[in-house]
Amino acid sequence: MRLGIQLLLLGLLLFAAPVLVGGLFLKVDRLGGNLFFRWISGQFLIWAGFQLICVPLILREETFPQVVQLFSGYLTALVLLAVAVDIQRLVKGKKIDLPWKKQQTGGKLRESGMLLWAFFWAVLLFQLIQAVRLSYADTDDAFYVAISSITQEAETMYQKLPYTGGATLLDARHGLAPFPIWISYLARLSGMPAVTVAKVVLPVALISMTYGVFYLFGRVLFPENGRQQALFLVFTEVLVLFGNTSIYTPENFMIARSRQGKAALGSIVIPFLLFLLLLLLKKMQEKGQVPAVYYFLLCAVVVTGCLCSTLGALLVCLAIGTAGLLGAVCYKRPGVLFPMAVCCVPGVLYAFLYLVLE
């Protein structure tokens, strides 16, 4: 019974809340009402808020319960805002693209397409089961998972040595990317040990989210062909299944080390950033207008990159700068450079802060 309640609470935090919050980004693209887009975009806004709340408290050497209280208030406000926006749409008579509504991909799927989708879901289920069943103690877990456990138990953040539990000076460098503290937050609200959340629950959520990003890529690359979308995802699964050629491959990080922030950066943050940049370049090619909420989501992705790893600030800003220059030159849209530069400001500030503290 207790385990069921804990899993329900984690389901609400990792799925239901992000799906509701993702409704704030319906105007980003025609895929705005898609279940996976709502889930992923909502999670990025939640992650960005956690970074902005947690880092200042870490640097001020505040306690973990303060992070729990402030971030819980932020999350509650986001959910209420998203619900209010949906209610307002209903009052105005606007049609809401429900996240669970079946997505049309150009006619009925043929029998071969249905088999491909069934095969994709079967392989995904196999990967999720194996990620949990074969979970092992990666050497980095001695630091990152230990940080989550110590934070949950001692209620301090980066002020105890993860290897021994002894007191130490504030580790401000790692504190700039407090992904382990987010795991501690999930553990505190659910009542489940942080190590269980990290090694059992998070792999299921984050691996599924990774495939959700690739599904969105498939929707853009093959907008009218569900069979090709399924085939694209199946090929992605094959690459993941046979990509464990070393402990440093993206596939290894995705399956075996998904609980670590740098794994989330490589598997979710950067792919979703590239997806958003693809949407931007398509809008430029079609000479369409880019809604302001798109840049707000892009900024949330930049902040989330900083949450996952201090290196994320450099990588996401580099990708945005490259795409912005290409779009400005190739499609003669120099006006796009200013809002994209503004989106990079949080990454630049965190990088500067890292250099100062180092």
Side-chain angles (χ1 to χ4, degrees), residues 58-240:
I58 290 175
L59 297 181
R60 292 180 57 186
E61 301 187 26
E62 303 289 352
T63 61
F64 176 59
Q66 290 180 282
V67 174
V68 174
Q69 294 172 4
L70 290 176
F71 182 67
S72 296
Y74 167 79
L75 181 58
T76 302
L78 271 185
V79 172
L80 292 177
L81 176 62
V83 172
V85 169
D86 280 340
I87 292 175
Q88 185 181 30
R89 292 193 184 105
L90 288 174
V91 171
K92 292 183 177 180
K94 294 183 179 180
K95 182 180 178 181
I96 297 178
D97 192 359
L98 298 176
W100 52 84
K101 183 178 178 181
K102 183 179 179 181
Q103 299 295 329
Q104 299 296 329
T105 54
K108 295 182 178 180
L109 293 176
R110 296 180 180 177
E111 184 177 355
S112 59
M114 296 179 66
L115 291 176
L116 283 172
W117 280 111
F119 183 76
F120 161 72
W121 287 110
V123 175
L124 175 58
L125 180 61
F126 170 77
Q127 290 186 1
L128 295 178
I129 293 175
Q130 293 295 88
V132 174
R133 190 178 71 88
L134 301 179
S135 178
Y136 67 96
D138 180 80
T139 52
D140 284 344
D141 289 344
F143 183 87
Y144 295 109
V145 176
I147 285 291
S148 300
S149 298
I150 290 175
T151 299
Q152 182 186 15
E153 298 298 329
E155 298 189 344
T156 60
M157 297 179 292
Y158 295 99
Q159 297 178 42
K160 286 184 177 292
L161 292 171
Y163 304 111
T164 64
T168 183
L169 296 176
L170 175 66
D171 184 4
R173 183 174 71 87
H174 287 99
L176 292 177
F179 194 83
I181 310 299
W182 176 68
I183 297 177
S184 302
Y185 174 82
L186 296 176
R188 172 60 60 88
L189 261 64
S190 66
M192 187 177 289
V195 64
T196 306
V197 173
K199 293 196 172 187
V200 177
V201 179
L202 276 189
V204 176
L206 298 183
I207 292 173
S208 299
M209 189 176 292
T210 300
Y211 279 109
V213 176
F214 286 108
Y215 167 76
L216 294 175
F217 269 111
R219 287 294 301 270
V220 173
L221 298 175
F222 314 104
E224 302 297 333
N225 195 318
R227 183 176 181 274
Q228 290 183 355
Q229 294 170 18
L231 190 61
F232 171 73
L233 289 171
V234 169
F235 274 120
T236 304
E237 287 180 326
V238 171
L239 292 175
V240 171

Side-chain angles (χ1 to χ4, degrees), residues 19-30:
V19 168
L20 287 173
V21 173
L24 299 174
F25 297 110
L26 284 177
K27 295 182 179 180
V28 168
D29 185 71
R30 61 182 179 82

